[in-house]
Amino acid sequence: MNIQLYGFWRSLASFRVRVALKLKGLPFEEIPVDILSGEQFDPDYDAVNTERVVPTLVHGEHRVFQSLAIIEYLEDLMPEPTLLPSDPADRAYARSLALVTIADAHPLVTPRVRNHLVKMFGADANAIESWAKHWTIEGLATYERLLQRRPAEPFTLGQRVSVADICIAGQVVGAQFLKLDLAPFPAVARLAGHCFATPAFATSHPFEQSGYTAIAPR
Ligand SMILES: N[C@@H](CCC(=O)N[C@@H](CS)C(=O)NCC(=O)O)C(=O)O
């Protein structure tokens, strides 16, 4: 299976897809798109994904974008090991948890939103950082409440890792970029510990990617 992933080392959405590919044991080539310098707007990349965001998965003639759609595409291509439970209610629960970050928390801290806050409202670096911390904490707090209400070990749905764990781990990576304390979110921190103890998660972490630089979080 010839798979290419257009991604970026520090992109949380790219992290999600990287983990899914590794959990499924699918080899892939990652092609970097530097979203901090604006490479997502290059015409060559626009031809790949006209939403002008990463990630995009290229598989033969298919170009799949949006991390959840990509993960579900991979699930359809290679059902085992499954990342979505078969029980309908559990499947919906896993997707719901995934969307807390994909649809609600993460979009608020993307470069395009930060750049717009600077351009439209003159937000300075401190304001941007407070903004990013606020929405990242909101996401963590939601996950903490959810995990407290439906406790399971070691992963969100029990023994098998799922798309929910991938997304919660991504939210934790966002918190790490912002140097947030996870102590107020013990269930989230415990889950992330289990995730990052596995090679698929550990080797997908932005800090482990070749482009990683210890620059201030953006
Ligand atoms: N909901 C999308 C998020 C895509 C997204 O916003 N990606 C970010 C990187 S994590 C990006 O490319 N941002 C470019 C920008 O904001 O200009 C997904 O889950 O794939």
Side-chain angles (χ1 to χ4, degrees), residues 8 10-17 33-36 38 40-41 45 49 51-56 65-70 101-103 106-107 109-115:
F8 187 52
R10 63 162 300 143
S11 151
L12 302 184
S14 303
F15 163 81
R16 297 193 282 264
V17 173
V33 179
D34 185 343
I35 59 170
L36 298 181
Q40 68 272 39
F41 303 110
Y45 186 63
N49 179 353
E51 195 191 356
R52 301 168 174 174
V53 296
V54 292
T56 308
F65 65 106
Q66 287 288 342
S67 59
L68 187 59
I70 297 171
T101 192
I102 294 178
H106 174 214
V109 300
T110 52
R112 60 190 176 282
V113 170
R114 294 173 188 228
N115 292 339

Side-chain angles (χ1 to χ4, degrees), residues 106-209:
H106 174 214
L108 291 161
V109 300
T110 52
R112 60 190 176 282
V113 170
R114 294 173 188 228
N115 292 339
H116 196 65
L117 289 169
V118 173
K119 201 165 132 196
M120 289 298 288
F121 307 108
D124 62 14
N126 284 339
I128 296 293
E129 191 177 334
S130 305
W131 170 278
K133 284 182 172 169
H134 172 80
W135 293 115
T136 301
I137 288 170
E138 284 289 300
L140 291 170
T142 301
Y143 278 136
E144 183 65 25
R145 293 195 302 278
L146 285 159
L147 296 181
Q148 299 276 359
R149 280 183 196 187
R150 184 172 162 174
E153 288 280 340
F155 299 111
T156 309
L157 283 139
Q159 288 303 316
R160 299 193 77 158
V161 72
S162 77
V163 67
D165 305 300
I166 295 175
C167 291
I168 296 172
Q171 187 70 18
V172 168
V173 172
Q176 291 168 341
F177 275 123
L178 293 162
K179 299 185 170 47
L180 289 170
D181 181 11
L182 287 183
F185 314 108
V188 171
R190 198 165 50 250
L191 173 67
H194 292 309
C195 289
F196 286 107
T198 70
F201 282 85
T203 61
S204 298
H205 196 293
F207 299 166
E208 298 300 320
Q209 308 311 302

